[in-house]
Amino acid sequence: MENEKIFGMYFAKIYPMLLAKAERKGRTKDEVDQIACWLTGYSNDAIHGFLRSDLTYGDFFRQAPALNPGRKLIRGTICGVRVENIEDPLMQEIRYLDKLVDELAKGKKMEQILRK
């Protein structure tokens, strides 16, 4: 039930929280956008358009044009849960983005975050 609540939240409500997490640690909106684009295949324009729409967070990932295959290299914990062990595929995609923004906020270099 908790997952459905998260899936139904609006992307326009969650994105500012991700951005604030990064900006509190001196990182930029462009870096958050770069991560979101790398992970999902959306363009910057598409992501910014979603901020003015009623797209849900679940649909943001369900409709992603090209989920990056490199996302499967993302390891570690977010909210006390190992991302590689999350069973619900949609929740795993959501937590991948959380983990990448967390790494950004912790000062990792973009090359490491984007698994290049």
Side-chain angles (χ1 to χ4, degrees), residues 6-63:
I6 293 169
F7 300 160
M9 294 177 78
Y10 293 119
F11 176 78
K13 184 170 184 135
I14 294 190
Y15 177 85
M17 291 187 274
L18 295 170
L19 183 58
K21 181 179 192 177
E23 288 180 334
R24 277 192 304 269
K25 299 293 184 167
R27 302 308 289 255
T28 68
K29 180 180 177 305
D30 287 342
E31 289 172 313
V32 173
D33 290 347
Q34 184 179 356
I35 288 169
C37 291
W38 177 88
L39 182 64
T40 63
Y42 287 117
S43 68
N44 272 346
D45 289 342
I47 289 174
H48 292 211
F50 298 147
L51 297 174
R52 297 180 301 276
S53 76
D54 60 356
L55 182 75
T56 66
Y57 205 37
D59 285 343
F60 174 76
F61 288 97
R62 284 184 197 106
Q63 298 171 13

Side-chain angles (χ1 to χ4, degrees), residues 101-113:
V101 172
D102 193 51
E103 289 177 358
L104 180 69
K106 288 181 178 177
K108 269 194 166 182
K109 295 180 181 178
M110 287 301 285
E111 294 78 28
Q112 292 174 306
I113 295 169

Side-chain angles (χ1 to χ4, degrees), residues 40-108:
T40 63
Y42 287 117
S43 68
N44 272 346
D45 289 342
I47 289 174
H48 292 211
F50 298 147
L51 297 174
R52 297 180 301 276
S53 76
D54 60 356
L55 182 75
T56 66
Y57 205 37
D59 285 343
F60 174 76
F61 288 97
R62 284 184 197 106
Q63 298 171 13
L67 291 170
N68 193 306
R71 75 192 188 287
K72 296 295 183 179
L73 299 174
I74 300 169
R75 301 279 185 262
T77 59
I78 191 77
C79 300
V81 177
R82 296 202 65 76
V83 293
E84 62 269 24
N85 296 337
I86 296 172
E87 292 184 19
D88 183 308
L90 183 55
M91 181 54 72
Q92 189 175 47
E93 299 301 339
I94 287 170
R95 294 301 182 199
Y96 283 151
L97 182 55
D98 289 343
K99 180 65 179 165
L100 295 178
V101 172
D102 193 51
E103 289 177 358
L104 180 69
K106 288 181 178 177
K108 269 194 166 182

